[in-house]
Amino acid sequence: MRALSQEPGEVDLAERYAYPAGTTWLRANMVASLDGAAQRDERSGGLGNAADRHLFLLLRGLADVVIVGAGTVRSEGYGPVKRSEGWDGVRDGRTPVPPIAVVSRTLDLDFDAPIFTEAQVPTIVLATATADPVRLKAARERADVIIAGKDSLDFSVAVQELAARGHRRLLCEGGPGVLAQVVAAGLLDELCLTLSPVLLGGRPVRILNGPPVPVPPEMALADALQDEEFLFLRYTRNR
């Protein structure tokens, strides 16, 4: 066991969190309390600080697409991605902002909401072939729809289709149900985890909300940063 080394001064986060070149890479960004809660007052945003928010926005800038579940869109009040400070140079040669890809089996979405009507780059909807035809028609009028799976969403197909559209640097913001499916499918390459210095108790949702993972991926610690009492951990999958 050894102490983490303290580097003097600020680190270059854009360099530290740069995606590997020449490959499709799926990164997740999550936050949790010390006792494993992924939400506070039913929102993940209640656990972070200013540095966590800064990193959240930077990771969006580095990504080609942001994947998020429909439940998180509703509970967190998601709108379209907007350009942020600190993005200078990180999106050269790409669209001004990454699109959001909403995971929704039932298509229970408000297609008149800003996430669809005010997006600089068309929002993507990841749906199934058995979705309600009326809802599917409404989705296609407002979004770029990708059919990935028949009765349930096949995340392997979704990732392949996104990569075929040029979205190879993927960022998953959850929620915990979506992330559990991504991990179960063996698709998670990297986990960025903000550890919030609070103890909440109760029976909270964890960052993975699903059945036990059949083959748990082994992760290697790639980075550990600190701001105030918060830890910012980055793990990559052992291959």
Side-chain angles (χ1 to χ4, degrees):
M1 189 175 294
R2 60 185 176 82
L4 293 174
S5 62
Q6 291 280 347
E7 295 185 14
E10 297 290 321
V11 299
D12 185 336
L13 291 178
E15 179 181 313
R16 207 93 171 207
Y17 284 87
Y19 279 82
T23 187
T24 299
W25 188 266
L26 201 164
R27 160 188 286 163
N29 183 35
M30 303 294 283
V31 60
S33 68
L34 293 178
D35 57 332
Q39 297 175 339
R40 184 175 188 175
D41 299 327
E42 300 183 353
R43 297 181 70 250
S44 61
L47 288 169
N49 69 348
D52 176 63
R53 179 65 180 171
H54 175 73
L55 181 59
F56 172 88
L57 294 172
L58 175 63
L59 293 183
R60 284 182 158 198
L62 294 170
D64 293 332
V65 64
V66 178
I67 301 170
V68 64
T72 299
V73 167
R74 291 188 291 267
S75 65
E76 304 274 353
Y78 262 60
V81 176
K82 296 181 179 179
R83 187 171 177 81
S84 174
E85 291 184 19
W87 282 19
D88 292 344
V90 303
R91 298 204 60 78
D92 288 351
R94 295 187 287 167
T95 56
V97 296
I100 288 181
V102 183
V103 179
S104 181
R105 184 177 60 83
T106 64
L107 298 181
D108 181 18
L109 297 163
D110 179 3
F111 294 111
D112 292 321
I115 192 173
F116 295 103
T117 62
E118 298 179 10
Q120 276 187 271
V121 181
T123 295
I124 299 167
V125 172
L126 303 175
T128 61
T130 54
D132 177 79
V134 174
R135 300 298 296 166
L136 193 56
K137 180 176 181 294
R140 285 182 166 137
E141 290 173 352
R142 294 287 195 182
D144 177 11
V145 175
I146 293 176
I147 300 298
K150 186 178 179 182
D151 298 311
S152 60
L153 200 91
D154 186 331
F155 279 91
S156 295
V157 174
V159 168
Q160 291 170 8
E161 290 295 326
L162 288 168
R165 285 164 163 77
H167 304 314
R168 302 184 68 186
R169 288 165 283 197
L170 303 103
L171 172 64
C172 177
E173 293 180 350
V178 167
L179 184 55
Q181 294 175 68
V182 168
V183 172
L187 297 170
L188 186 68
D189 297 299
E190 179 180 329
L191 173 65
C192 299
L193 178 64
T194 298
L195 198 57
S196 178
V198 293
L199 295 165
L200 298 179
R203 297 182 180 275
V205 173
R206 299 187 300 169
I207 64 168
L208 296 188
N209 185 20
V213 179
V215 183
E218 294 185 4
M219 309 295 285
L221 181 63
D223 220 339
L225 302 174
Q226 181 181 356
D227 179 81
E228 298 176 335
E229 305 308 318
F230 285 75
L231 283 179
F232 299 85
L233 307 175
R234 188 167 65 86
Y235 285 88
T236 56
R237 183 172 60 175
N238 282 330
R239 297 181 182 277

